[in-house]
Amino acid sequence: MNEKDFIEIDIEEIEPIELSDWEKINIEKSVLRSSSTKKYVFKKWKWVSIVAMLTFIFASSSIWLPVVANRVPIVQQLLNSNDNPQLQVFSDNASTINQIDESNGTSIELAEAFFDGTIVSVSYEMKHEQSIDEPPLFWKGDLEVNGNKLDVLSHQIVKKNEATWIGMFTARISDKVIGEKVNVQWRPQDFIGMENTTLVEGAWDFQLELTPTRAYSRKVNIPFGNDQYQLFYNQITEGKYITTLYFEGNLDWETEFLMVDIKDNLGNVYENVGTTTIKSGSGRVNGYVEVFIPDSDIRTLIITPTIRIVDEKTLERKELVPLPSINISLK
């Protein structure tokens, strides 16, 4: 899927997280942009509430692999079509699951899973009795961790052959690091395509227990802004998969949006980093910035924030307000 491809689905019976119209437009334009550094080239997965919209990555062409590919981990097959360092992190840390359930002629194998303390990712293979040309992107049913329902934030899906799709989905479990095992239950039902048509009917049920990799979470008070805008980062969560910077401040949720440019102490530049904001009160927002750190030697992030001000009715940009850069130390 390229930047022009966009999926918006109306998911019923889920209480939405508020995203402004401008944020939705910004997300649409940012889907699957390449992010590059001087030392690394990688694609940034956008993490956004499923209620508003989803980032999906899929290949329209099949992966033509030898027969031995059936015994190759799913994530390795995905890496053949999308050389993404985040996928390599998954590959290096994932646990083998190999749970299979069949419903209505379609079998799903839960292949591998990875939990980094805040984020859980699961890879799977779906085999059908008949050919399915359109990617089964969405599903009805629940994803739960310790009995709490989660929204899927990112989903990769690739056609392996005429009757088989392989994929991996990711969900945020908590804003705080969980240091103990979690129980994950995935109960997908009918799978839906881009045109909101049902492609696969059935009901599957998977349950697994995952042990987290080591992650860190700490409270901070790092102010940034100017006389008009007083914001601060209040928490940093560092896992193997993603580093999340949580912030809050006095932004008008409908017309003012935080944008960030990030580089690090090794000279790497992170482009098109997404920022998610949630309305917390009149003239107040909470939010977070998520960034993949590709090198353990990276110890400092240099963040240059900008406030984008848009017209409330047209959403056209009215002004960009640059703010002073700040340094954030990592563990």
Side-chain angles (χ1 to χ4, degrees), residues 3 7 16 35 81-82 95 125 181 195 213 231 249 266 316 318:
E3 291 181 18
I7 301 166
S35 295
S81 64
N82 181 12
S95 301
E125 180 175 270
K181 292 181 179 179
E195 302 299 326
T213 59
L231 301 101
L266 298 185
E316 293 292 329
K318 293 173 59 178

Side-chain angles (χ1 to χ4, degrees), residues 26-38:
N26 188 48
I27 292 164
E28 173 184 348
K29 292 179 180 178
S30 299
V31 169
L32 201 57
R33 287 180 180 169
S34 294
S35 295
S36 61
T37 70
K38 293 180 181 179

Side-chain angles (χ1 to χ4, degrees), residues 159-306:
K159 188 176 183 180
K160 180 179 176 181
N161 56 46
E162 291 303 311
T164 306
W165 290 82
I166 58 176
M168 184 175 76
F169 60 84
T170 299
R172 173 178 287 278
I173 292 181
S174 173
D175 291 339
K176 298 180 179 179
V177 170
I178 298 175
E180 55 190 27
K181 292 181 179 179
V182 295
N183 295 308
V184 179
Q185 185 172 44
W186 184 40
R187 293 173 292 186
Q189 297 177 16
D190 301 350
F191 283 77
I192 300 168
M194 292 179 63
E195 302 299 326
N196 205 24
T197 56
T198 299
L199 302 177
V200 183
E201 295 182 333
W204 301 262
D205 193 345
F206 299 96
Q207 298 188 43
L208 60 151
E209 186 178 71
L210 296 178
T211 301
T213 59
R214 190 173 185 180
Y216 304 92
S217 184
R218 54 194 169 97
K219 295 292 185 180
V220 296
N221 184 8
I222 305 174
F224 63 98
N226 57 18
D227 291 340
Q228 182 179 1
Y229 298 105
Q230 291 87 45
L231 301 101
F232 64 97
Y233 287 104
N234 53 29
Q235 179 178 314
I236 300 175
T237 299
E238 300 175 54
K240 285 185 177 294
Y241 223 18
I242 206 77
T243 293
T244 308
L245 310 174
Y246 296 88
F247 67 89
E248 63 179 276
N250 63 332
L251 295 180
D252 185 293
W253 178 78
E254 295 180 342
T255 62
E256 298 174 336
F257 305 92
L258 177 65
M259 303 167 62
V260 292
D261 293 321
I262 300 179
K263 58 182 180 180
D264 62 39
N265 59 291
L266 298 185
N268 301 309
V269 176
Y270 303 77
E271 297 178 348
N272 304 313
V273 176
T275 300
T276 298
T277 57
I278 303 170
K279 188 175 183 179
S280 62
S282 178
R284 300 286 302 181
V285 300
N286 294 322
Y288 55 86
V289 176
E290 290 184 309
V291 59
F292 172 64
I293 308 297
D295 191 328
S296 60
D297 290 332
I298 295 170
R299 309 314 308 150
T300 304
L301 296 180
I302 300 95
I303 300 178
T304 303
T306 302

